[in-house]
Amino acid sequence: MTRVAIIDYGMGNLRSVAKAIEHVAPEAEVIVSSDARVVAGADRVVFPGQGAMPDCMRELDARDLRGAVLDAAANKPFLGICIGLQMLFQHSQEGDVPGLGVLAGDVKRFVDPRDPVSGARLKVPHMGWNGVKQTRAHPMWDGIANDERFYFVHSYFVQPVDAALTAGETSYGAAFTSAIARDNIFAVQFHPEKSAHAGLRLLANFIGWMP
């Protein structure tokens, strides 16, 4: 039986993510946990999220989870969602805090985004459904149409140093990285657990993905 650990750092839609994975993989054991030993013993790890980067990093250390997250990101299939994408990078403008530094790059705030056609100011946070352009092939995109729409809620976005990390882009005033992939890591800015059929397909792909 595949054991999937969903990291509980005190915030985020943990139960929604767990229920979505249980739906697509009823044969899997899905555990929501803040215990580093449980995370270490899992076959696959999901870091979901909502909330602010300073809170995320503080709670990771308060719960002694930093080492378990770094180990999972280095050694087993790892899915980051929203903050779970952002915290992989080196630094965030949100609270001017360092991330885990697994990937080179920064987390930036949307600054006065505007509709490229009308010039109208776009709201921040970026909230609602938007398309994701798949910038390269990846097993996690299997069965998901290019430009498929997913659900977003965020004011910050990642800016990788290495453009080859980007697996998906979304337009909000300008194009930004909405999915990254490297080795055993796949992470997205959108919320698959809130993204209907396409989101469920992405989660199902994660359960079957063999990096």
Side-chain angles (χ1 to χ4, degrees):
M1 179 181 290
T2 299
R3 302 185 75 212
V4 182
I6 298 174
I7 297 174
D8 179 3
Y9 61 106
M11 59 194 75
N13 281 332
L14 307 180
R15 298 297 170 188
S16 297
V17 175
K19 291 297 184 184
I21 294 175
E22 287 170 353
H23 177 75
V24 300
E27 74 287 354
E29 181 183 7
V30 182
I31 308 165
V32 178
S33 181
S34 60
D35 187 333
R37 294 169 296 181
V38 172
V39 176
D43 303 303
R44 297 171 183 271
V45 171
V46 180
F47 195 111
Q50 275 180 217
M53 180 73 94
D55 297 334
C56 170
M57 301 309 298
R58 184 186 66 248
E59 291 300 317
L60 269 185
D61 288 332
R63 296 164 188 249
D64 293 322
L65 283 166
R66 180 183 289 253
V69 172
L70 287 170
D71 182 71
N75 295 302
K76 59 187 69 176
F78 183 97
L79 176 62
I81 298 171
C82 197
I83 284 288
L85 162 67
Q86 295 178 8
M87 60 96 185
L88 293 171
F89 286 82
Q90 292 168 307
H91 182 267
S92 176
Q93 285 185 341
E94 186 175 22
D96 189 25
V97 295
L100 293 177
V102 174
L103 304 172
D106 297 308
V107 181
K108 304 285 191 178
R109 181 175 171 83
F110 287 112
V111 178
D112 195 26
R114 292 179 179 269
D115 184 284
V117 176
S118 69
R121 181 176 284 112
L122 299 172
K123 293 181 179 179
V124 177
H126 170 215
M127 182 180 299
W129 295 85
N130 206 341
V132 175
K133 177 185 176 182
Q134 299 168 20
T135 57
R136 59 186 172 97
H138 193 280
M140 288 287 287
W141 293 134
D142 182 54
I144 298 172
N146 192 25
D147 295 319
E148 181 65 81
R149 292 167 69 81
F150 293 87
Y151 191 82
F152 290 81
V153 183
H154 64 120
S155 299
Y156 295 80
F157 61 94
V158 299
Q159 196 169 74
V161 168
D162 181 4
L165 281 175
T166 300
E169 286 184 345
T170 296
S171 179
Y172 198 66
F176 69 90
T177 295
S178 55
I180 64 96
R182 190 186 75 181
D183 302 329
N184 59 298
I185 297 172
F186 196 88
V188 296
Q189 184 61 65
F190 53 82
H191 288 270
E193 77 279 7
K194 296 180 178 181
S195 296
H197 175 75
L200 292 176
R201 182 58 190 252
L202 188 89
L203 294 174
N205 288 344
F206 176 67
I207 298 300
W209 177 36
M210 300 298 291

